[in-house]
Amino acid sequence: MRRLKRTLIAAALAATAMAGTAGWAAGDQQDAVTGPPAGSAAWRADDVLHRPLPDPATATPREVARFFASLDATRQQQLATRHPLVVGNLDGAPVALRYAANRLAIAAERDRQLARSTDGSLAAHEREQARGRAARYARLLAPGRQILAFDPRGRGQLAEVYGDWTAARHTAVVVPGSDTDLATFDRGEQRYDSPAGMARALRAEMARQAPAAPTAVIAWAGYTTPVGVGIDAATGRLAEAGAPRLDRFLAGLAALGGDVAPALFCHSYGSVVCGLAAPHLGAAEAADLVVLASPGVHADSAAALHTGARVWATRRNGEDWIGDVPNVSLFGLGHGADPTSGAFGALSVPSTGAHGHSGYFTPGTQSLRHFAQIALGRYEEVRRAASGSPSMHPNG
């Protein structure tokens, strides 16, 4: 009874901390975007090839990859032109084809929003919102951008590739946390707290350490994230909806025949998504699972994740407010054990120099340097740094 009482108190403290830390307001509950891409019904009904097209809801990424491999370039482009939202989000489709399809889909959405921005039947705030969305879509169409996934539903989801994915010998995927959507995906070149900023910084550090090695990093914002710090952030509901999307996305990359599995870098609530996806990730889908600034991964230990990937963890104590949130899991509240605790059993990543909850990818920090080493497969360098840390805490 006494133990239950202590757990209940910890749960209450967790809710209080998550609702009040850093002055954030409690977030609104979100409706998760799930299921196949928009336009899937028209795709299924299309007989342009006189053969069934792979069902986006049921076909595996390997089946999708085999289907596209059976088509010549003209047929592939024909499908991308007819169904850009489907092809652009179809895991297992060729990467370059998805880039082309998503350019078409984004351009169409930009034009739709531009039309709404001058529609006199809409309220002024709706026209202003449409102008803002059209401007964001226009930025996504800038030359050189490689959009691997684009879903305008809800608050919008996106994945962008930095580097040549098909030629890369070392790859990584960044999975962000709360408050991530189309509006916050990229906050500018010198911001390292957005998905785009994290991915760009990681690839730049990888290039600095190994200038001759072909590298690529994906910023994957492919799930509905919590808004603010409220009930969505304190529960696994949105992570449970996002984990299968992450699993399928990574399976799609693996189905294209790449020789190197990526390292996953999972920030904050993104680590909850990665933790729930971990048991379903094969050796070709993830070589390393790095959780940073994590509230927990819904597992009591690294072994309990049942993944073949190496599991790493870091948190900057005294700098990151997430360390003040009790690690509990009760009645659906909280995300479980602290991944940076010695008992959890994750490999330690020193993070000296990181400030705040989202400063782990800032150039010059130990965390970014070690993240790049992990992505490059230089594990011993990270282990030596961790063993030589003067702090008693494994991630001091």
Side-chain angles (χ1 to χ4, degrees):
M1 185 67 183
R2 183 177 298 174
R3 182 177 180 181
L4 175 60
K5 183 177 180 180
R6 285 199 302 268
T7 304
L8 288 170
I9 292 172
L13 288 172
T16 301
M18 296 188 82
T21 301
W24 289 6
D28 297 328
Q29 284 192 273
Q30 301 295 300
D31 293 325
V33 172
T34 59
S40 292
W43 164 272
R44 294 187 194 100
D46 196 337
D47 192 39
V48 66
L49 299 186
H50 308 295
R51 58 187 284 198
L53 303 182
D55 189 337
T58 60
T60 69
R62 288 195 179 279
E63 290 171 339
V64 171
R66 285 196 295 268
F67 168 79
F68 279 99
S70 72
L71 305 178
D72 60 26
T74 300
R75 290 296 196 186
Q76 289 184 6
Q77 187 58 52
Q78 183 181 25
L79 290 177
T81 302
R82 292 169 68 89
H83 306 280
L85 274 173
V86 173
V87 175
N89 292 282
L90 199 54
D91 296 310
V95 168
L97 187 67
R98 290 179 67 172
Y99 296 159
N102 282 318
R103 288 192 69 83
L104 294 174
I106 293 167
E109 283 297 313
R110 176 203 57 192
D111 294 345
R112 190 173 74 86
Q113 294 298 331
L114 284 173
R116 284 173 54 82
S117 72
T118 59
D119 185 345
S121 68
L122 298 177
H125 76 275
E126 292 178 301
R127 295 196 300 272
E128 181 63 28
Q129 185 181 58
R131 279 191 291 272
R133 283 218 162 195
R136 286 195 290 275
Y137 295 145
R139 289 193 290 272
L140 294 178
L141 293 170
R145 299 198 74 165
Q146 301 177 136
I147 307 303
L148 190 57
F150 167 72
D151 192 335
R153 295 177 296 177
R155 289 156 43 217
Q157 298 179 9
L158 197 70
E160 183 169 12
V161 180
Y162 303 88
D164 185 345
W165 187 265
T166 57
R169 301 301 303 162
H170 303 282
T171 61
V173 176
V174 175
V175 181
S178 298
D179 299 301
T180 300
D181 52 31
L182 276 175
T184 61
F185 183 84
D186 189 353
R187 299 189 183 99
E189 290 293 329
Q190 300 302 315
R191 294 292 299 271
Y192 307 107
D193 56 352
S194 67
M198 292 176 181
R200 284 195 299 261
L202 177 57
R203 182 164 184 257
E205 179 63 17
M206 292 167 69
R208 186 189 71 80
Q209 294 186 22
T215 61
V217 180
I218 297 176
W220 183 82
Y223 75 106
T224 303
T225 69
V227 172
V229 183
I231 192 65
D232 279 346
T235 67
R237 181 179 65 88
L238 294 180
E240 289 166 0
R245 296 173 75 84
L246 176 60
D247 179 33
R248 186 177 178 86
F249 177 78
L250 296 170
L253 297 175
L256 296 175
D259 295 329
V260 182
L264 295 187
F265 294 87
C266 311
H267 177 251
S268 193
Y269 193 84
S271 69
V272 186
V273 177
C274 289
L276 293 173
H280 308 286
L281 299 178
E285 295 164 357
D288 296 274
L289 176 61
V290 185
V291 298
L292 52 138
S294 175
V297 294
H298 285 252
D300 293 330
S301 66
L305 288 171
H306 301 292
T307 179
R310 298 171 195 83
V311 180
W312 308 76
T314 191
R315 184 185 66 235
R316 183 68 176 139
N317 288 333
E319 291 282 349
D320 187 343
W321 59 260
I322 202 72
D324 297 327
V325 176
N327 291 99
V328 298
S329 181
L330 183 70
F331 305 133
L333 176 68
H335 304 297
D338 177 4
T340 66
S341 70
F344 189 85
L347 296 164
S348 178
V349 184
S351 54
T352 300
H355 297 290
H357 186 57
S358 302
Y360 294 85
F361 289 86
T362 302
T365 58
Q366 271 197 350
S367 49
L368 179 62
R369 181 166 69 253
H370 296 318
F371 292 165
Q373 289 168 345
I374 292 169
L376 292 168
R378 298 176 175 177
Y379 305 122
E380 286 306 315
E381 297 179 37
V382 185
R383 291 191 177 103
R384 282 198 298 270
S387 65
S389 173
S391 172
M392 294 297 292
H393 191 283
N395 294 303

